[in-house]
Amino acid sequence: MAVASVAAALLAALGGALWLAARRLSGPRSQRQQGGGDPGLMHGKTVLITGANSGLGRATAAELLRLGARVIMGCRDRARAEEAAGQLRQELGQAGGAGPDATDGQLVVKELDLASLRSVRAFCQELLQEEPRLDVLINNAGVFHCPYMKTEDGFEMQFGVNHLGHFLLTNLLLGLLKSSAPSRIVVVSSKLYKYGEINFEDLNSEQSYNKSFCYSRSKLANILFTRELARRLEGTNVTVNVLHPGVVRTNLGRHIHIPLLARPLFNLVSWAFFKTPLEGAQTSIYLACSPDVEGVSGRYFGDCKEEELLPKAMDESVARKLWDISEVMVGILK
Ligand SMILES: NC(=O)C1=CN([C@@H]2O[C@H](COP(=O)(O)OP(=O)(O)OC[C@H]3O[C@@H](n4cnc5c(N)ncnc54)[C@H](OP(=O)(O)O)[C@@H]3O)[C@@H](O)[C@H]2O)C=CC1
Ligand SMILES: CC1=C(/C=C/C(C)=C/C=C/C(C)=C/C=O)C(C)(C)CCC1
């Protein structure tokens, strides 16, 4: 009897694993694995991607590089970024691209720590000196569910990196984006914005800290920032759009503690149900280079299609107030 139960359990586990594998390999998602598109589409264009050494940013960099762009990887850890850049050059060579030597110079690594306003300023100063143009800025880097931590300037980490660091970065690069117009800004947010609120009385979470709320708040801030910026950029030929990538298998979950014994199960589930980084990056890539969204600004996208926002993400007075407070927080108040 016991032997029969064990055998049944093993068979069920095997059947489940096979079903998951079949689902992963034959589902519609696998068809989106390798990007198509004209390999010369982004030729002559310079793209800056924050957090380009890992996950979605890395996959976005790989694809835009394949499409011929000069890609600047804005990353906080030079060693991790150089390692990723080396792998990307090699992958491009192996995929029949221009080859590691010919692509040199099209992939540039620069240090950028969004948890330090000093680093953001130094990064922009160098970039403005060295780069004659910037066609696409992709605000992709992010931190998720970290324990309570503060940035170098004393801001709650998720709000500080996901919103404020990118707020300063974008503002300092706006002149170059305008002089390179038509140009685009792409902001990576999340569907989890739905659970956030902009609680102006405690933006630093000094009174209480809830990591889920603070992540959602930072992602709501990404959307409000996008909409306010789109309004300010009207008539400049610089567009800005925001997206959610879906649930993607990346390093974003690094602060989530999974007990050692449960990890294989979580890995299996994420492998079966989460998007791959390349699948998740499709909307970022679409907004960065598709002719379909030429002139489109201030909109929210998922799976390369426009989606509706909750009223709280379209509240113009909250967006303006957040903009004004962010200017004071990062020290660019004119
Ligand atoms: N994965 C998912 O399911 C979802 C992701 N997103 C969003 O997608 C974006 C990309 O995340 P994803 O690729 O998943 O996660 P990863 O953790 O794989 O990548 C995040 C990137 O952000 C960088 N980063 C973190 N902190 C800083 C900092 N202070 N300064 C500069 N760079 C920093 C990381 O650098 P380092 O490697 O050095 O840590 C890394 O390169 C994020 O904005 C995230 O909120 C949204 C919805 C779902
Ligand atoms: C891959 C993987 C993980 C990653 C989780 C991730 C990437 C969560 C993403 C969250 C979302 C949806 C954020 C939305 O903004 C775990 C569970 C830590 C452990 C098992 C392997």
Side-chain angles (χ1 to χ4, degrees):
M1 192 63 188
V3 175
S5 309
V6 171
L10 278 175
L11 269 176
L14 187 65
L18 282 173
W19 177 77
L20 287 176
R23 192 184 179 284
R24 187 77 195 85
L25 297 173
S26 69
R29 295 178 306 164
S30 57
Q31 289 152 21
R32 297 201 301 268
Q33 270 294 329
Q34 184 55 56
D38 170 7
L41 183 68
M42 294 300 280
H43 190 77
K45 307 253 188 214
T46 300
V47 182
L48 165 60
I49 307 173
T50 66
N53 61 291
S54 171
L56 293 164
R58 188 188 183 286
T60 306
E63 188 59 10
L64 294 179
L65 190 64
R66 199 185 67 76
L67 294 174
R70 170 176 169 77
V71 177
I72 302 169
M73 303 169 69
C75 300
R76 66 172 157 177
D77 185 294
R78 180 167 282 280
R80 276 201 289 271
E82 292 290 2
E83 195 188 336
Q87 289 166 358
L88 288 175
R89 288 192 188 104
Q90 224 175 14
E91 282 166 24
L92 186 72
Q94 281 163 7
D101 294 334
T103 60
D104 271 353
Q106 296 191 337
L107 194 57
V108 180
V109 170
K110 282 194 188 296
E111 265 174 59
L112 168 65
D113 183 357
L114 291 154
S116 156
L117 298 181
R118 188 180 40 84
S119 168
V120 175
R121 287 184 184 282
F123 171 88
C124 291
Q125 198 177 9
E126 196 181 299
L127 189 132
L128 293 173
Q129 269 165 14
E130 291 176 3
E131 299 293 331
R133 60 182 304 109
L134 181 59
D135 300 277
V136 185
L137 164 64
I138 306 184
N139 288 344
N140 163 84
V143 55
F144 175 71
H145 275 216
C146 55
Y148 189 62
M149 288 193 247
K150 284 189 169 176
T151 66
E152 191 176 284
D153 308 275
F155 306 131
E156 183 279 314
M157 186 60 76
Q158 299 188 79
F159 190 71
V161 169
N162 300 357
H163 170 61
L164 290 173
H166 283 116
F167 178 85
L168 179 61
L169 178 80
T170 309
N171 272 284
L172 295 179
L173 297 178
L174 269 186
L176 186 58
L177 284 158
K178 283 181 188 167
S179 65
S180 312
S183 53
R184 301 180 183 192
I185 302 168
V186 177
V187 177
V188 182
S189 178
S190 162
K191 264 192 178 168
L192 294 179
Y193 85 85
K194 292 178 183 178
Y195 305 101
E197 298 292 339
I198 307 295
N199 54 337
F200 288 105
E201 72 292 346
D202 191 23
L203 285 180
N204 257 344
S205 309
E206 311 275 2
Q207 289 160 22
S208 68
Y209 180 65
N210 176 311
K211 48 192 166 195
S212 301
F213 171 81
C214 286
Y215 179 74
S216 294
R217 176 178 67 178
S218 74
K219 293 288 139 181
L220 174 61
N222 288 158
I223 301 175
L224 292 164
F225 162 73
T226 301
R227 292 182 57 85
E228 175 62 15
L229 182 57
R231 198 184 63 74
R232 288 170 184 250
L233 288 174
E234 267 169 33
T236 61
N237 232 346
V238 183
T239 59
V240 53
N241 290 291
V242 60
L243 68 105
H244 75 81
V247 183
V248 191
R249 193 182 154 81
T250 67
N251 291 321
L252 195 69
R254 71 189 78 187
H255 293 292
I256 302 175
H257 175 71
I258 308 273
L260 200 64
L261 283 176
R263 274 188 209 166
L265 181 65
F266 274 88
N267 277 322
L268 184 67
V269 169
S270 70
W271 179 74
F273 294 104
F274 289 20
K275 289 181 179 177
T276 65
L278 184 54
E279 288 167 346
Q282 290 308 306
T283 310
S284 299
I285 296 160
Y286 174 75
L287 292 175
C289 56
S290 171
D292 296 356
V293 283
E294 220 168 83
V296 173
S297 197
R299 307 289 173 84
Y300 174 65
F301 289 81
D303 286 330
C304 303
K305 287 188 291 289
E306 192 183 338
E307 290 188 9
E308 275 190 17
L309 282 166
L310 293 182
K312 68 174 160 189
M314 296 192 292
D315 188 323
E316 288 181 16
S317 68
V318 174
R320 274 176 216 224
K321 190 170 168 189
L322 176 65
W323 186 282
D324 293 344
I325 288 179
S326 302
E327 278 187 339
V328 176
M329 291 176 94
V330 303
I332 53 168
L333 190 65
K334 284 152 217 127

